[in-house]
Amino acid sequence: MDSPFHFSDGPSADQLAIERLVGPLAIIDIRAKAEADPDAQVTPDDIAAWEALYGPLPEGAIVALLSGWDAHV
């Protein structure tokens, strides 16, 4: 698990309360962009497109990126 500690001086995974590890999941799919541009990143437009389909991101949402690059691992 990649905890907030990876990106900052925040808590490591063993220090997080279990309640912080679950929540509604939003998967932002940028596979088409990433196929055309291996350096593609999630943009506000990608999030707006997701919200146009599914509604506003839920409170406490866990946002995941789907780039398609898992096929190369």
Side-chain angles (χ1 to χ4, degrees):
M1 183 184 112
D2 194 5
S3 71
F5 188 72
H6 179 88
F7 299 104
S8 69
D9 293 330
S12 58
D14 62 319
Q15 297 170 322
L16 291 172
I18 191 72
E19 295 81 19
R20 300 224 24 223
L21 301 177
V22 294
L25 177 63
I27 301 172
I28 309 293
D29 185 348
I30 66 160
R31 287 179 289 186
K33 279 189 353 180
E35 186 174 328
D37 176 8
D39 294 322
Q41 299 178 24
V42 173
T43 66
D45 288 341
D46 297 316
I47 296 169
W50 187 95
E51 290 184 321
L53 288 173
Y54 304 108
L57 286 169
E59 181 75 26
I62 299 164
V63 179
L65 167 68
L66 177 57
S67 68
W69 278 84
D70 57 304
H72 301 284
V73 176

